[in-house]
PDB file of all heavy atoms in Angstrom:
ATOM      1  N   ALA A   4    -139.255  13.263 -81.721  1.00  0.00           N
ATOM      2  CA  ALA A   4    -137.862  12.939 -81.230  1.00  0.00           C
ATOM      3  C   ALA A   4    -137.487  11.536 -81.746  1.00  0.00           C
ATOM      4  O   ALA A   4    -136.417  11.206 -82.221  1.00  0.00           O
ATOM      5  CB  ALA A   4    -137.662  13.135 -79.795  1.00  0.00           C
ATOM      6  N   VAL A   5    -138.445  10.607 -81.523  1.00  0.00           N
ATOM      7  CA  VAL A   5    -138.174   9.156 -81.895  1.00  0.00           C
ATOM      8  C   VAL A   5    -138.070   9.057 -83.395  1.00  0.00           C
ATOM      9  O   VAL A   5    -137.166   8.332 -83.903  1.00  0.00           O
ATOM     10  CB  VAL A   5    -139.282   8.262 -81.380  1.00  0.00           C
ATOM     11  CG1 VAL A   5    -139.254   6.828 -81.909  1.00  0.00           C
ATOM     12  CG2 VAL A   5    -139.271   8.201 -79.819  1.00  0.00           C
ATOM     13  N   THR A   6    -138.890   9.779 -84.097  1.00  0.00           N
ATOM     14  CA  THR A   6    -138.829   9.744 -85.570  1.00  0.00           C
ATOM     15  C   THR A   6    -137.468  10.288 -86.073  1.00  0.00           C
ATOM     16  O   THR A   6    -136.957   9.721 -87.000  1.00  0.00           O
ATOM     17  CB  THR A   6    -139.946  10.594 -86.145  1.00  0.00           C
ATOM     18  OG1 THR A   6    -141.220  10.062 -85.728  1.00  0.00           O
ATOM     19  CG2 THR A   6    -139.960  10.582 -87.705  1.00  0.00           C
ATOM     20  N   ARG A   7    -136.967  11.352 -85.420  1.00  0.00           N
ATOM     21  CA  ARG A   7    -135.663  11.857 -85.849  1.00  0.00           C
ATOM     22  C   ARG A   7    -134.599  10.857 -85.621  1.00  0.00           C
ATOM     23  O   ARG A   7    -133.694  10.687 -86.455  1.00  0.00           O
ATOM     24  CB  ARG A   7    -135.359  13.182 -85.083  1.00  0.00           C
ATOM     25  CG  ARG A   7    -136.088  14.395 -85.596  1.00  0.00           C
ATOM     26  CD  ARG A   7    -135.525  15.692 -85.063  1.00  0.00           C
ATOM     27  NE  ARG A   7    -135.775  15.835 -83.607  1.00  0.00           N
ATOM     28  CZ  ARG A   7    -136.852  16.222 -83.025  1.00  0.00           C
ATOM     29  NH1 ARG A   7    -137.865  16.653 -83.790  1.00  0.00           N
ATOM     30  NH2 ARG A   7    -137.045  16.279 -81.706  1.00  0.00           N
ATOM     31  N   THR A   8    -134.646  10.169 -84.518  1.00  0.00           N
ATOM     32  CA  THR A   8    -133.607   9.136 -84.202  1.00  0.00           C
ATOM     33  C   THR A   8    -133.726   8.011 -85.204  1.00  0.00           C
ATOM     34  O   THR A   8    -132.692   7.597 -85.740  1.00  0.00           O
ATOM     35  CB  THR A   8    -133.856   8.611 -82.766  1.00  0.00           C
ATOM     36  OG1 THR A   8    -133.751   9.725 -81.814  1.00  0.00           O
ATOM     37  CG2 THR A   8    -132.818   7.616 -82.405  1.00  0.00           C
ATOM     38  N   VAL A   9    -134.928   7.566 -85.477  1.00  0.00           N
ATOM     39  CA  VAL A   9    -135.056   6.435 -86.397  1.00  0.00           C
ATOM     40  C   VAL A   9    -134.551   6.845 -87.793  1.00  0.00           C
ATOM     41  O   VAL A   9    -133.871   6.217 -88.487  1.00  0.00           O
ATOM     42  CB  VAL A   9    -136.494   5.962 -86.452  1.00  0.00           C
ATOM     43  CG1 VAL A   9    -136.768   5.009 -87.610  1.00  0.00           C
ATOM     44  CG2 VAL A   9    -136.892   5.320 -85.142  1.00  0.00           C
ATOM     45  N   ALA A  10    -134.942   8.085 -88.207  1.00  0.00           N
ATOM     46  CA  ALA A  10    -134.537   8.556 -89.529  1.00  0.00           C
ATOM     47  C   ALA A  10    -133.008   8.643 -89.632  1.00  0.00           C
ATOM     48  O   ALA A  10    -132.406   8.276 -90.639  1.00  0.00           O
ATOM     49  CB  ALA A  10    -135.164  10.000 -89.812  1.00  0.00           C
ATOM     50  N   SER A  11    -132.382   9.135 -88.550  1.00  0.00           N
ATOM     51  CA  SER A  11    -130.874   9.161 -88.494  1.00  0.00           C
ATOM     52  C   SER A  11    -130.276   7.788 -88.621  1.00  0.00           C
ATOM     53  O   SER A  11    -129.322   7.608 -89.379  1.00  0.00           O
ATOM     54  CB  SER A  11    -130.430   9.901 -87.270  1.00  0.00           C
ATOM     55  OG  SER A  11    -129.061   9.885 -87.121  1.00  0.00           O
ATOM     56  N   ASN A  12    -130.801   6.817 -87.888  1.00  0.00           N
ATOM     57  CA  ASN A  12    -130.339   5.470 -87.912  1.00  0.00           C
ATOM     58  C   ASN A  12    -130.562   4.856 -89.303  1.00  0.00           C
ATOM     59  O   ASN A  12    -129.695   4.175 -89.772  1.00  0.00           O
ATOM     60  CB  ASN A  12    -130.983   4.694 -86.841  1.00  0.00           C
ATOM     61  CG  ASN A  12    -130.539   5.058 -85.439  1.00  0.00           C
ATOM     62  OD1 ASN A  12    -129.556   5.693 -85.235  1.00  0.00           O
ATOM     63  ND2 ASN A  12    -131.256   4.624 -84.410  1.00  0.00           N
ATOM     64  N   LEU A  13    -131.719   5.186 -89.964  1.00  0.00           N
ATOM     65  CA  LEU A  13    -131.983   4.615 -91.223  1.00  0.00           C
ATOM     66  C   LEU A  13    -131.004   5.183 -92.198  1.00  0.00           C
ATOM     67  O   LEU A  13    -130.536   4.480 -93.127  1.00  0.00           O
ATOM     68  CB  LEU A  13    -133.405   4.870 -91.672  1.00  0.00           C
ATOM     69  CG  LEU A  13    -134.480   4.059 -90.964  1.00  0.00           C
ATOM     70  CD1 LEU A  13    -135.861   4.515 -91.341  1.00  0.00           C
ATOM     71  CD2 LEU A  13    -134.272   2.577 -91.351  1.00  0.00           C
ATOM     72  N   LYS A  14    -130.721   6.446 -92.110  1.00  0.00           N
ATOM     73  CA  LYS A  14    -129.732   7.068 -93.060  1.00  0.00           C
ATOM     74  C   LYS A  14    -128.438   6.434 -92.857  1.00  0.00           C
ATOM     75  O   LYS A  14    -127.691   6.115 -93.895  1.00  0.00           O
ATOM     76  CB  LYS A  14    -129.682   8.597 -92.710  1.00  0.00           C
ATOM     77  CG  LYS A  14    -128.791   9.319 -93.692  1.00  0.00           C
ATOM     78  CD  LYS A  14    -128.670  10.767 -93.483  1.00  0.00           C
ATOM     79  CE  LYS A  14    -127.773  11.474 -94.498  1.00  0.00           C
ATOM     80  NZ  LYS A  14    -127.738  12.853 -94.248  1.00  0.00           N
ATOM     81  N   GLY A  15    -127.917   6.212 -91.638  1.00  0.00           N
ATOM     82  CA  GLY A  15    -126.694   5.595 -91.379  1.00  0.00           C
ATOM     83  C   GLY A  15    -126.629   4.149 -91.951  1.00  0.00           C
ATOM     84  O   GLY A  15    -125.691   3.776 -92.510  1.00  0.00           O
ATOM     85  N   ALA A  16    -127.721   3.409 -91.759  1.00  0.00           N
ATOM     86  CA  ALA A  16    -127.862   2.108 -92.291  1.00  0.00           C
ATOM     87  C   ALA A  16    -127.785   2.062 -93.774  1.00  0.00           C
ATOM     88  O   ALA A  16    -127.050   1.256 -94.417  1.00  0.00           O
ATOM     89  CB  ALA A  16    -129.117   1.404 -91.846  1.00  0.00           C
ATOM     90  N   ALA A  17    -128.473   3.031 -94.429  1.00  0.00           N
ATOM     91  CA  ALA A  17    -128.496   3.131 -95.946  1.00  0.00           C
ATOM     92  C   ALA A  17    -127.023   3.398 -96.414  1.00  0.00           C
ATOM     93  O   ALA A  17    -126.612   2.871 -97.415  1.00  0.00           O
ATOM     94  CB  ALA A  17    -129.436   4.209 -96.332  1.00  0.00           C
ATOM     95  N   LEU A  18    -126.295   4.354 -95.699  1.00  0.00           N
ATOM     96  CA  LEU A  18    -124.923   4.635 -96.098  1.00  0.00           C
ATOM     97  C   LEU A  18    -124.052   3.396 -95.940  1.00  0.00           C
ATOM     98  O   LEU A  18    -123.209   3.144 -96.793  1.00  0.00           O
ATOM     99  CB  LEU A  18    -124.424   5.821 -95.351  1.00  0.00           C
ATOM    100  CG  LEU A  18    -125.059   7.176 -95.639  1.00  0.00           C
ATOM    101  CD1 LEU A  18    -124.592   8.240 -94.631  1.00  0.00           C
ATOM    102  CD2 LEU A  18    -124.799   7.603 -97.051  1.00  0.00           C
ATOM    103  N   GLY A  19    -124.288   2.703 -94.872  1.00  0.00           N
ATOM    104  CA  GLY A  19    -123.460   1.448 -94.683  1.00  0.00           C
ATOM    105  C   GLY A  19    -123.744   0.433 -95.749  1.00  0.00           C
ATOM    106  O   GLY A  19    -122.812  -0.225 -96.274  1.00  0.00           O
ATOM    107  N   ILE A  20    -125.027   0.261 -96.174  1.00  0.00           N
ATOM    108  CA  ILE A  20    -125.400  -0.686 -97.207  1.00  0.00           C
ATOM    109  C   ILE A  20    -124.683  -0.226 -98.552  1.00  0.00           C
ATOM    110  O   ILE A  20    -124.107  -1.044 -99.192  1.00  0.00           O
ATOM    111  CB  ILE A  20    -126.917  -0.706 -97.384  1.00  0.00           C
ATOM    112  CG1 ILE A  20    -127.511  -1.452 -96.139  1.00  0.00           C
ATOM    113  CG2 ILE A  20    -127.254  -1.445 -98.684  1.00  0.00           C
ATOM    114  CD1 ILE A  20    -129.013  -1.394 -96.127  1.00  0.00           C
ATOM    115  N   ARG A  21    -124.738   1.133 -98.854  1.00  0.00           N
ATOM    116  CA  ARG A  21    -124.161   1.600-100.033  1.00  0.00           C
ATOM    117  C   ARG A  21    -122.599   1.274-100.064  1.00  0.00           C
ATOM    118  O   ARG A  21    -122.072   0.812-100.994  1.00  0.00           O
ATOM    119  CB  ARG A  21    -124.315   3.116-100.125  1.00  0.00           C
ATOM    120  CG  ARG A  21    -123.734   3.589-101.469  1.00  0.00           C
ATOM    121  CD  ARG A  21    -123.545   5.150-101.541  1.00  0.00           C
ATOM    122  NE  ARG A  21    -122.580   5.399-100.499  1.00  0.00           N
ATOM    123  CZ  ARG A  21    -122.339   6.599 -99.963  1.00  0.00           C
ATOM    124  NH1 ARG A  21    -123.158   7.575-100.285  1.00  0.00           N
ATOM    125  NH2 ARG A  21    -121.432   6.821 -99.129  1.00  0.00           N
ATOM    126  N   ASP A  22    -121.986   1.573 -98.816  1.00  0.00           N
ATOM    127  CA  ASP A  22    -120.519   1.331 -98.712  1.00  0.00           C
ATOM    128  C   ASP A  22    -120.285  -0.142 -98.915  1.00  0.00           C
ATOM    129  O   ASP A  22    -119.262  -0.508 -99.550  1.00  0.00           O
ATOM    130  CB  ASP A  22    -120.008   1.827 -97.381  1.00  0.00           C
ATOM    131  CG  ASP A  22    -120.053   3.327 -97.275  1.00  0.00           C
ATOM    132  OD1 ASP A  22    -120.283   4.010 -98.301  1.00  0.00           O
ATOM    133  OD2 ASP A  22    -119.918   3.788 -96.151  1.00  0.00           O
ATOM    134  N   GLY A  23    -121.017  -0.992 -98.360  1.00  0.00           N
ATOM    135  CA  GLY A  23    -120.860  -2.427 -98.491  1.00  0.00           C
ATOM    136  C   GLY A  23    -120.977  -2.942 -99.907  1.00  0.00           C
ATOM    137  O   GLY A  23    -120.238  -3.777-100.378  1.00  0.00           O
ATOM    138  N   LEU A  24    -121.955  -2.350-100.647  1.00  0.00           N
ATOM    139  CA  LEU A  24    -122.128  -2.742-102.047  1.00  0.00           C
ATOM    140  C   LEU A  24    -121.033  -2.205-102.888  1.00  0.00           C
ATOM    141  O   LEU A  24    -120.710  -2.798-103.919  1.00  0.00           O
ATOM    142  CB  LEU A  24    -123.464  -2.246-102.586  1.00  0.00           C
ATOM    143  CG  LEU A  24    -124.701  -2.975-101.888  1.00  0.00           C
ATOM    144  CD1 LEU A  24    -125.995  -2.251-102.398  1.00  0.00           C
ATOM    145  CD2 LEU A  24    -124.735  -4.427-102.249  1.00  0.00           C
ATOM    146  N   GLN A  25    -120.370  -1.113-102.499  1.00  0.00           N
ATOM    147  CA  GLN A  25    -119.374  -0.428-103.314  1.00  0.00           C
ATOM    148  C   GLN A  25    -117.979  -0.893-102.696  1.00  0.00           C
ATOM    149  O   GLN A  25    -117.030  -0.097-102.900  1.00  0.00           O
ATOM    150  CB  GLN A  25    -119.564   1.061-103.339  1.00  0.00           C
ATOM    151  CG  GLN A  25    -120.784   1.514-103.948  1.00  0.00           C
ATOM    152  CD  GLN A  25    -120.916   3.040-103.897  1.00  0.00           C
ATOM    153  OE1 GLN A  25    -120.246   3.735-103.220  1.00  0.00           O
ATOM    154  NE2 GLN A  25    -121.805   3.539-104.664  1.00  0.00           N
ATOM    155  N   HIS A  26    -117.908  -1.957-102.009  1.00  0.00           N
ATOM    156  CA  HIS A  26    -116.651  -2.270-101.311  1.00  0.00           C
ATOM    157  C   HIS A  26    -115.519  -2.367-102.327  1.00  0.00           C
ATOM    158  O   HIS A  26    -115.612  -2.985-103.396  1.00  0.00           O
ATOM    159  CB  HIS A  26    -116.847  -3.591-100.585  1.00  0.00           C
ATOM    160  CG  HIS A  26    -115.568  -4.179-100.038  1.00  0.00           C
ATOM    161  ND1 HIS A  26    -114.993  -3.635 -98.825  1.00  0.00           N
ATOM    162  CD2 HIS A  26    -114.696  -5.104-100.397  1.00  0.00           C
ATOM    163  CE1 HIS A  26    -113.902  -4.238 -98.554  1.00  0.00           C
ATOM    164  NE2 HIS A  26    -113.681  -5.189 -99.485  1.00  0.00           N
ATOM    165  N   ASP A  27    -114.420  -1.708-101.918  1.00  0.00           N
ATOM    166  CA  ASP A  27    -113.177  -1.718-102.773  1.00  0.00           C
ATOM    167  C   ASP A  27    -112.115  -2.384-101.904  1.00  0.00           C
ATOM    168  O   ASP A  27    -111.615  -1.729-101.028  1.00  0.00           O
ATOM    169  CB  ASP A  27    -112.836  -0.369-103.189  1.00  0.00           C
ATOM    170  CG  ASP A  27    -111.680  -0.272-104.180  1.00  0.00           C
ATOM    171  OD1 ASP A  27    -111.142  -1.393-104.488  1.00  0.00           O
ATOM    172  OD2 ASP A  27    -111.328   0.814-104.587  1.00  0.00           O
ATOM    173  N   PRO A  28    -111.632  -3.586-102.245  1.00  0.00           N
ATOM    174  CA  PRO A  28    -110.605  -4.218-101.514  1.00  0.00           C
ATOM    175  C   PRO A  28    -109.254  -3.433-101.463  1.00  0.00           C
ATOM    176  O   PRO A  28    -108.431  -3.639-100.627  1.00  0.00           O
ATOM    177  CB  PRO A  28    -110.423  -5.596-102.195  1.00  0.00           C
ATOM    178  CG  PRO A  28    -111.277  -5.628-103.312  1.00  0.00           C
ATOM    179  CD  PRO A  28    -112.153  -4.409-103.379  1.00  0.00           C
ATOM    180  N   LYS A  29    -109.156  -2.533-102.370  1.00  0.00           N
ATOM    181  CA  LYS A  29    -108.005  -1.673-102.396  1.00  0.00           C
ATOM    182  C   LYS A  29    -107.939  -0.720-101.178  1.00  0.00           C
ATOM    183  O   LYS A  29    -106.864  -0.206-100.903  1.00  0.00           O
ATOM    184  CB  LYS A  29    -107.879  -0.809-103.733  1.00  0.00           C
ATOM    185  CG  LYS A  29    -107.689  -1.650-104.947  1.00  0.00           C
ATOM    186  CD  LYS A  29    -107.714  -0.704-106.157  1.00  0.00           C
ATOM    187  CE  LYS A  29    -107.701  -1.567-107.435  1.00  0.00           C
ATOM    188  NZ  LYS A  29    -107.901  -0.729-108.578  1.00  0.00           N
ATOM    189  N   ASN A  30    -108.989  -0.639-100.491  1.00  0.00           N
ATOM    190  CA  ASN A  30    -109.105   0.234 -99.319  1.00  0.00           C
ATOM    191  C   ASN A  30    -109.041  -0.556 -97.998  1.00  0.00           C
ATOM    192  O   ASN A  30    -109.077   0.070 -96.914  1.00  0.00           O
ATOM    193  CB  ASN A  30    -110.314   1.146 -99.305  1.00  0.00           C
ATOM    194  CG  ASN A  30    -110.288   2.066-100.439  1.00  0.00           C
ATOM    195  OD1 ASN A  30    -109.202   2.614-100.849  1.00  0.00           O
ATOM    196  ND2 ASN A  30    -111.440   2.393-101.113  1.00  0.00           N
ATOM    197  N   ASP A  31    -108.931  -1.826 -98.062  1.00  0.00           N
ATOM    198  CA  ASP A  31    -108.858  -2.702 -96.895  1.00  0.00           C
ATOM    199  C   ASP A  31    -107.583  -2.440 -96.159  1.00  0.00           C
ATOM    200  O   ASP A  31    -106.522  -2.183 -96.689  1.00  0.00           O
ATOM    201  CB  ASP A  31    -108.928  -4.183 -97.225  1.00  0.00           C
ATOM    202  CG  ASP A  31    -110.416  -4.559 -97.605  1.00  0.00           C
ATOM    203  OD1 ASP A  31    -111.324  -3.796 -97.438  1.00  0.00           O
ATOM    204  OD2 ASP A  31    -110.537  -5.677 -98.149  1.00  0.00           O
ATOM    205  N   PRO A  32    -107.588  -2.532 -94.804  1.00  0.00           N
ATOM    206  CA  PRO A  32    -106.303  -2.435 -94.019  1.00  0.00           C
ATOM    207  C   PRO A  32    -105.384  -3.569 -94.302  1.00  0.00           C
ATOM    208  O   PRO A  32    -105.804  -4.696 -94.641  1.00  0.00           O
ATOM    209  CB  PRO A  32    -106.796  -2.477 -92.581  1.00  0.00           C
ATOM    210  CG  PRO A  32    -108.278  -2.745 -92.601  1.00  0.00           C
ATOM    211  CD  PRO A  32    -108.766  -2.776 -93.921  1.00  0.00           C
ATOM    212  N   VAL A  33    -104.134  -3.282 -94.330  1.00  0.00           N
ATOM    213  CA  VAL A  33    -103.058  -4.203 -94.491  1.00  0.00           C
ATOM    214  C   VAL A  33    -102.293  -4.349 -93.221  1.00  0.00           C
ATOM    215  O   VAL A  33    -101.768  -3.386 -92.759  1.00  0.00           O
ATOM    216  CB  VAL A  33    -102.130  -3.823 -95.730  1.00  0.00           C
ATOM    217  CG1 VAL A  33    -101.033  -4.817 -95.912  1.00  0.00           C
ATOM    218  CG2 VAL A  33    -103.029  -3.739 -96.941  1.00  0.00           C
ATOM    219  N   ASP A  34    -102.184  -5.616 -92.723  1.00  0.00           N
ATOM    220  CA  ASP A  34    -101.427  -5.870 -91.513  1.00  0.00           C
ATOM    221  C   ASP A  34    -100.030  -6.060 -91.848  1.00  0.00           C
ATOM    222  O   ASP A  34     -99.659  -7.063 -92.524  1.00  0.00           O
ATOM    223  CB  ASP A  34    -102.017  -7.064 -90.769  1.00  0.00           C
ATOM    224  CG  ASP A  34    -101.502  -7.328 -89.390  1.00  0.00           C
ATOM    225  OD1 ASP A  34    -100.359  -6.892 -89.071  1.00  0.00           O
ATOM    226  OD2 ASP A  34    -102.279  -7.739 -88.590  1.00  0.00           O
ATOM    227  N   VAL A  35     -99.106  -5.227 -91.338  1.00  0.00           N
ATOM    228  CA  VAL A  35     -97.680  -5.358 -91.623  1.00  0.00           C
ATOM    229  C   VAL A  35     -97.054  -6.627 -90.995  1.00  0.00           C
ATOM    230  O   VAL A  35     -95.961  -6.976 -91.355  1.00  0.00           O
ATOM    231  CB  VAL A  35     -96.921  -4.064 -91.141  1.00  0.00           C
ATOM    232  CG1 VAL A  35     -97.350  -2.882 -92.009  1.00  0.00           C
ATOM    233  CG2 VAL A  35     -97.043  -3.793 -89.717  1.00  0.00           C
ATOM    234  N   ASN A  36     -97.755  -7.206 -90.000  1.00  0.00           N
ATOM    235  CA  ASN A  36     -97.253  -8.404 -89.399  1.00  0.00           C
ATOM    236  C   ASN A  36     -97.728  -9.651 -89.954  1.00  0.00           C
ATOM    237  O   ASN A  36     -97.154 -10.756 -89.738  1.00  0.00           O
ATOM    238  CB  ASN A  36     -97.528  -8.368 -87.909  1.00  0.00           C
ATOM    239  CG  ASN A  36     -96.702  -7.369 -87.113  1.00  0.00           C
ATOM    240  OD1 ASN A  36     -95.551  -7.212 -87.348  1.00  0.00           O
ATOM    241  ND2 ASN A  36     -97.325  -6.649 -86.279  1.00  0.00           N
ATOM    242  N   LYS A  37     -98.815  -9.647 -90.729  1.00  0.00           N
ATOM    243  CA  LYS A  37     -99.373 -10.904 -91.251  1.00  0.00           C
ATOM    244  C   LYS A  37     -99.603 -11.004 -92.720  1.00  0.00           C
ATOM    245  O   LYS A  37     -99.740 -12.034 -93.243  1.00  0.00           O
ATOM    246  CB  LYS A  37    -100.752 -11.108 -90.541  1.00  0.00           C
ATOM    247  CG  LYS A  37    -100.692 -11.218 -89.040  1.00  0.00           C
ATOM    248  CD  LYS A  37    -102.031 -11.357 -88.405  1.00  0.00           C
ATOM    249  CE  LYS A  37    -101.990 -11.343 -86.910  1.00  0.00           C
ATOM    250  NZ  LYS A  37    -103.302 -11.304 -86.320  1.00  0.00           N
ATOM    251  N   SER A  38     -99.631  -9.891 -93.425  1.00  0.00           N
ATOM    252  CA  SER A  38     -99.947  -9.890 -94.837  1.00  0.00           C
ATOM    253  C   SER A  38     -98.891 -10.460 -95.670  1.00  0.00           C
ATOM    254  O   SER A  38     -97.691 -10.410 -95.370  1.00  0.00           O
ATOM    255  CB  SER A  38    -100.224  -8.451 -95.250  1.00  0.00           C
ATOM    256  OG  SER A  38    -101.315  -7.907 -94.649  1.00  0.00           O
ATOM    257  N   SER A  39     -99.297 -11.076 -96.765  1.00  0.00           N
ATOM    258  CA  SER A  39     -98.433 -11.732 -97.758  1.00  0.00           C
ATOM    259  C   SER A  39     -97.767 -10.597 -98.537  1.00  0.00           C
ATOM    260  O   SER A  39     -98.124  -9.444 -98.542  1.00  0.00           O
ATOM    261  CB  SER A  39     -99.270 -12.568 -98.698  1.00  0.00           C
ATOM    262  OG  SER A  39    -100.133 -11.775 -99.518  1.00  0.00           O
ATOM    263  N   SER A  40     -96.693 -11.071 -99.250  1.00  0.00           N
ATOM    264  CA  SER A  40     -96.019 -10.121-100.160  1.00  0.00           C
ATOM    265  C   SER A  40     -96.909  -9.464-101.163  1.00  0.00           C
ATOM    266  O   SER A  40     -96.893  -8.313-101.500  1.00  0.00           O
ATOM    267  CB  SER A  40     -94.860 -10.842-100.827  1.00  0.00           C
ATOM    268  OG  SER A  40     -94.184 -10.034-101.755  1.00  0.00           O
ATOM    269  N   GLU A  41     -97.936 -10.336-101.705  1.00  0.00           N
ATOM    270  CA  GLU A  41     -98.830  -9.849-102.688  1.00  0.00           C
ATOM    271  C   GLU A  41     -99.714  -8.721-102.122  1.00  0.00           C
ATOM    272  O   GLU A  41     -99.947  -7.788-102.788  1.00  0.00           O
ATOM    273  CB  GLU A  41     -99.698 -10.970-103.301  1.00  0.00           C
ATOM    274  CG  GLU A  41     -98.862 -12.009-104.078  1.00  0.00           C
ATOM    275  CD  GLU A  41     -98.074 -13.046-103.184  1.00  0.00           C
ATOM    276  OE1 GLU A  41     -98.434 -13.227-102.029  1.00  0.00           O
ATOM    277  OE2 GLU A  41     -97.163 -13.537-103.742  1.00  0.00           O
ATOM    278  N   ALA A  42    -100.171  -8.997-100.927  1.00  0.00           N
ATOM    279  CA  ALA A  42    -100.967  -7.998-100.253  1.00  0.00           C
ATOM    280  C   ALA A  42    -100.250  -6.669 -99.983  1.00  0.00           C
ATOM    281  O   ALA A  42    -100.792  -5.614-100.229  1.00  0.00           O
ATOM    282  CB  ALA A  42    -101.609  -8.496 -98.962  1.00  0.00           C
ATOM    283  N   LEU A  43     -99.063  -6.799 -99.588  1.00  0.00           N
ATOM    284  CA  LEU A  43     -98.276  -5.619 -99.282  1.00  0.00           C
ATOM    285  C   LEU A  43     -97.965  -4.842-100.569  1.00  0.00           C
ATOM    286  O   LEU A  43     -97.965  -3.606-100.639  1.00  0.00           O
ATOM    287  CB  LEU A  43     -96.917  -5.922 -98.640  1.00  0.00           C
ATOM    288  CG  LEU A  43     -97.023  -6.517 -97.229  1.00  0.00           C
ATOM    289  CD1 LEU A  43     -95.741  -7.220 -96.755  1.00  0.00           C
ATOM    290  CD2 LEU A  43     -97.369  -5.411 -96.271  1.00  0.00           C
ATOM    291  N   ARG A  44     -97.835  -5.610-101.655  1.00  0.00           N
ATOM    292  CA  ARG A  44     -97.499  -4.844-102.983  1.00  0.00           C
ATOM    293  C   ARG A  44     -98.806  -4.187-103.576  1.00  0.00           C
ATOM    294  O   ARG A  44     -98.591  -3.452-104.523  1.00  0.00           O
ATOM    295  CB  ARG A  44     -96.940  -5.920-103.985  1.00  0.00           C
ATOM    296  CG  ARG A  44     -95.476  -6.220-103.659  1.00  0.00           C
ATOM    297  CD  ARG A  44     -94.805  -7.067-104.704  1.00  0.00           C
ATOM    298  NE  ARG A  44     -95.198  -8.397-104.429  1.00  0.00           N
ATOM    299  CZ  ARG A  44     -95.531  -9.242-105.395  1.00  0.00           C
ATOM    300  NH1 ARG A  44     -95.423  -8.957-106.687  1.00  0.00           N
ATOM    301  NH2 ARG A  44     -95.817 -10.535-105.088  1.00  0.00           N
ATOM    302  N   THR A  45     -99.973  -4.418-102.991  1.00  0.00           N
ATOM    303  CA  THR A  45    -101.116  -3.666-103.436  1.00  0.00           C
ATOM    304  C   THR A  45    -101.068  -2.230-102.899  1.00  0.00           C
ATOM    305  O   THR A  45    -101.849  -1.426-103.468  1.00  0.00           O
ATOM    306  CB  THR A  45    -102.424  -4.339-102.958  1.00  0.00           C
ATOM    307  OG1 THR A  45    -102.516  -4.300-101.574  1.00  0.00           O
ATOM    308  CG2 THR A  45    -102.602  -5.774-103.520  1.00  0.00           C
ATOM    309  N   LEU A  46    -100.206  -1.955-101.965  1.00  0.00           N
ATOM    310  CA  LEU A  46    -100.080  -0.656-101.380  1.00  0.00           C
ATOM    311  C   LEU A  46     -99.377   0.264-102.395  1.00  0.00           C
ATOM    312  O   LEU A  46     -98.351  -0.180-102.983  1.00  0.00           O
ATOM    313  CB  LEU A  46     -99.356  -0.649-100.088  1.00  0.00           C
ATOM    314  CG  LEU A  46    -100.080  -1.399 -99.021  1.00  0.00           C
ATOM    315  CD1 LEU A  46     -99.165  -1.705 -97.825  1.00  0.00           C
ATOM    316  CD2 LEU A  46    -101.345  -0.644 -98.523  1.00  0.00           C
TER     317      LEU A  46
END
């Protein structure tokens, strides 16, 4: 049971690392109250 939990957590961590390495700023949230005109125009 512990091994399954650790394996699941490791898989989640690995996916998070992959996502972090493949970060695409085009998918970042844009705040309609604070973002600049340039940031809004990326939408």
Side-chain angles (χ1 to χ4, degrees):
V5 170
T6 301
R7 282 191 296 275
T8 301
V9 169
S11 175
N12 290 343
L13 285 174
K14 182 177 180 182
L18 292 172
I20 291 168
R21 184 198 66 200
D22 292 348
L24 292 173
Q25 296 175 347
H26 174 75
D27 184 359
K29 293 179 189 173
N30 295 324
D31 286 347
V33 175
D34 190 329
V35 294
N36 287 318
K37 297 176 184 173
S38 295
S39 66
S40 176
E41 293 78 24
L43 291 167
R44 283 185 283 140
T45 65
L46 297 167

